[in-house]
Amino acid sequence: QVQLVESGGGLVQTGGSLRLSCAASGRTFSNYHMGWFRQAPGKERELVAAIKWAVYTYYTDSVKGRFTFSRDVAQNTVYLQMNNLKPEDTAVYYCAATYSGGYSLPSDYDYWGQGTQVTVSS
């Protein structure tokens, strides 16, 4: 059974940092696209960052220079280091995996974690 389990969310003040982890099991995801999405109340789920084919890294404009997506292939784990957090970063964060060609839309992804809440206070 394929599972993605996120951890590392929490409450932080503006300007603070958090590191999210996503541990994968049941399959080796080294050749998959991996993505971090977030969904704020009343908003659609949006792509925050993605690693395509373990080579190309994408970031949405609002997090460029603040967030870093990395992966540990040996541990089958991906991370999202979030620095200089802002209140608008408050959302439930999800990691996802896909073996298909697309990587930017939620519908591109086959596997999802349960989500972890990130709350940034002003």
Side-chain angles (χ1 to χ4, degrees):
Q1 183 178 358
V2 175
Q3 272 195 315
L4 300 175
V5 179
E6 301 102 333
S7 61
L11 173 64
V12 66
Q13 291 185 332
T14 296
S17 298
L18 287 172
R19 189 175 84 151
L20 306 183
S21 300
C22 173
S25 61
R27 185 165 298 182
T28 299
F29 286 91
S30 58
N31 293 323
Y32 281 61
H33 307 330
M34 301 294 296
W36 282 101
F37 286 79
R38 66 186 178 188
Q39 188 166 19
K43 295 188 176 181
E44 293 187 352
R45 191 168 297 189
E46 65 169 349
L47 179 67
V48 176
I51 289 181
K52 186 174 181 181
W53 291 319
V55 176
Y56 174 73
T57 306
Y58 163 87
Y59 298 95
T60 194
D61 286 345
S62 62
V63 308
K64 284 180 181 177
R66 301 189 297 122
F67 291 12
T68 304
F69 193 164
S70 61
R71 66 193 303 169
D72 184 332
V73 175
Q75 297 295 323
N76 219 20
T77 300
V78 297
Y79 305 94
L80 186 68
Q81 177 67 44
M82 305 185 297
N83 298 327
N84 191 21
L85 283 161
K86 303 176 180 181
E88 52 263 42
D89 295 318
T90 295
V92 178
Y93 283 70
Y94 300 88
C95 74
T98 181
Y99 200 66
S100 67
Y103 69 95
S104 61
L105 299 175
S107 58
D108 291 329
Y109 289 79
D110 303 307
Y111 306 103
W112 290 86
Q114 82 287 354
T116 185
Q117 177 71 46
V118 171
T119 303
V120 184
S121 63
S122 57

